[in-house]
């Protein structure tokens, strides 16, 4: 008796499936291997907590999302002059317009480029050595990033950047720079003050000179006594909680108006890396600002010596330190 039509169809479908499955798998395997390879090579720009033992980090200390932030207005930006790799940065403080505009606004109105920030030149000169040695890039950490004068100087050279900036107005301008310099895949920003513990602290914003805002009220007022000061609460986080052990950090720049000792102690594990793997360190060493935050240059040098940074030289008000 001939087999029923339904049974005949099932036998045909089963045979077709058995013959096509190996061929499909053979086609899929190379694709899957390629996908895994690409994902494994993609840079991790989330910079999750350095260890699984840090569940106490609040969600708000995840990297700042520039795309979710309100856009600052107006946007005033131009090219920085006098650096090997030009870049754009946007201003946060516009001065008392129209009577006394910020000096770079005045230059912009005259058709000139922004005046070169010294730290931008320094960063690019130092990183040029890394590029020349063919070291394969790495991470630059910018603590007290302001509007990104160090961060973007590094990013346009191809380095990945982790920036910390607690002042929201400055943070918005960093977001401008991320867009303008096309470095959204290289720059991670934290809306926080780097310190030696996770928590919150009061910061004093100096209106009209946000680059002089400081944790210490005395430090904030040292240079601009007549400017209005506003106290705001900001998050704090240690670098050791953010930078994974496996990340190659080539340079750390710290400019936090006297809070440098706390930042350095919060990076003790990172700074304890052996010679050849420890980052080049730049930090502001202004004795008046340090004393306003109950620390001193001597105390910082002693701490750095304890983690192996035995070679420090002064460049203006900055200290440059390495392990030799």
């Amino acid at each position: 008796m001939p087999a029923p039509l339904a049974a005949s169809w099932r036998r045909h479908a089963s045979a077709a499936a058995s013959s096509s499955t190996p061929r499909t798998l053979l086609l899929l395997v190379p694709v899957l291997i390629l996908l895994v390879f690409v994902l494994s090579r993609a840079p991790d720009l989330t910079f999750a907590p350095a260890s699984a033992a840090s569940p106490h980090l609040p969600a708000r200390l995840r990297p700042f999302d520039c795309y979710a932030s309100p856009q600052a207005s107006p946007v005033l930006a131009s090219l920085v002059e006098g650096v090997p790799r030009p870049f754009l940065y946007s201003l946060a403080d516009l001065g008392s317009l129209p009577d006394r505009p910020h000096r770079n606004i005045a230059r912009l109105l005259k058709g000139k480029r922004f005046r070169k920030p010294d730290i931008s030149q320094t960063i690019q000169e130092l990183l040029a050595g890394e590029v020349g040695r063919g070291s394969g890039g790495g991470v630059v950490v910018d603590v007290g990033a302001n509007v990104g004068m160090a961060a973007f100087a590094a990013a346009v050279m191809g380095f990945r950047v982790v920036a910390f900036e607690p002042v929201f107005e400055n943070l918005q301008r960093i977001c401008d720079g991320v867009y303008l310099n096309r470095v959204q895949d290289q720059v991670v920003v934290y809306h926080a003050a780097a310190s030696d513990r996770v928590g919150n602290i009061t910061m004093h914003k100096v209106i009209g000179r946000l680059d002089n805002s400081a944790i210490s009220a005395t430090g904030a007022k040292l240079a601009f006594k007549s400017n209005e000061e506003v106290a705001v609460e900001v998050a704090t986080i240690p670098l050791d909680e953010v930078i994974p052990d496996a990340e190659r950090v080539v340079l750390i720049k710290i400019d936090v108006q006297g809070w440098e000792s706390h930042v350095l102690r919060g990076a003790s594990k990172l700074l304890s890396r052996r010679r050849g793997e420890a980052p080049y360190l730049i930090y502001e060493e202004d004795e008046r600002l340090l004393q306003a935050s109950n620390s001193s240059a001597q105390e910082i040098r002693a701490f750095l010596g304890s983690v192996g940074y035995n070679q420090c030289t002064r460049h203006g008000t900055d200290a440059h330190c390495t392990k030799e």
Side-chain angles (χ1 to χ4, degrees), residues 41-271:
R41 301 286 292 177
D44 176 15
L45 286 173
T46 59
F47 284 89
S51 70
S54 304
H56 55 284
L57 284 178
R60 60 192 173 83
L61 289 179
R62 295 171 186 161
F64 186 74
D65 184 356
C66 283
Y67 287 90
S69 169
Q71 174 63 51
S73 177
V75 175
L76 293 167
S78 186
L79 274 173
V80 174
E81 66 177 358
V83 289
R85 295 289 298 275
F87 62 93
L88 292 138
Y89 79 91
S90 177
L91 288 172
D93 290 325
L94 306 181
S96 301
L97 293 174
D99 300 326
R100 296 183 62 190
H102 188 286
R103 64 179 185 179
N104 271 328
I105 297 296
R107 289 176 65 83
L108 187 64
L109 293 174
K110 294 175 183 178
K112 297 181 180 180
R113 293 182 176 182
F114 281 8
R115 192 179 302 278
K116 178 192 69 179
D118 290 338
I119 188 61
S120 306
Q121 179 81 19
T122 300
I123 292 291
Q124 291 199 351
E125 287 175 354
L126 289 169
L127 294 179
E130 285 290 321
V131 173
R133 285 191 291 270
S135 304
V139 174
V140 173
V141 179
D142 185 2
V143 181
N146 190 243
V147 296
M149 292 176 288
F152 297 128
V156 296
M157 294 182 70
F159 290 85
R160 296 164 64 202
V161 176
V162 185
F164 289 79
E165 176 52 50
V167 178
F168 182 71
E169 293 88 341
N170 289 339
L171 202 68
Q172 288 181 300
R173 299 305 180 173
I174 293 176
C175 288
D176 292 343
V178 168
Y179 308 144
L180 294 169
N181 291 293
R182 310 294 196 269
V183 290
Q184 61 268 25
D185 294 332
Q186 292 169 247
V187 178
V188 173
V189 190
Y190 284 88
H191 184 196
S195 190
D196 52 356
R197 66 194 66 187
V198 174
N200 296 283
I201 200 165
T202 300
M203 184 171 192
H204 301 270
K205 292 199 308 185
V206 180
I207 304 303
R209 282 307 302 256
L210 293 176
D211 55 328
N212 277 73
S213 300
I215 301 296
S216 160
T218 303
K221 282 293 195 180
L222 276 177
F224 298 93
K225 294 181 174 61
S226 62
N227 288 50
E228 181 186 357
E229 171 206 319
V230 178
V232 294
E233 187 176 83
V234 299
T236 60
I237 184 171
L239 296 187
D240 282 342
E241 294 282 0
V242 173
I243 309 298
D245 294 339
E247 285 294 341
R248 179 174 178 269
V249 179
V250 296
L251 186 149
I252 301 175
K253 165 256 167 185
I254 306 171
D255 183 352
V256 288
Q257 302 297 300
W259 200 247
E260 282 77 8
S261 177
H262 298 271
V263 177
L264 292 166
R265 292 183 185 280
S268 57
K269 186 168 65 172
L270 174 57
L271 296 172

Side-chain angles (χ1 to χ4, degrees), residues 265-293:
R265 292 183 185 280
S268 57
K269 186 168 65 172
L270 174 57
L271 296 172
S272 296
R273 294 180 181 182
R274 62 188 179 185
R275 186 174 61 181
E277 297 179 0
Y280 192 101
L281 175 64
I282 304 173
Y283 70 93
E284 187 179 33
E285 194 176 61
D286 186 315
E287 194 65 58
R288 293 187 311 155
L289 289 170
L290 292 171
Q291 288 182 2
S293 293

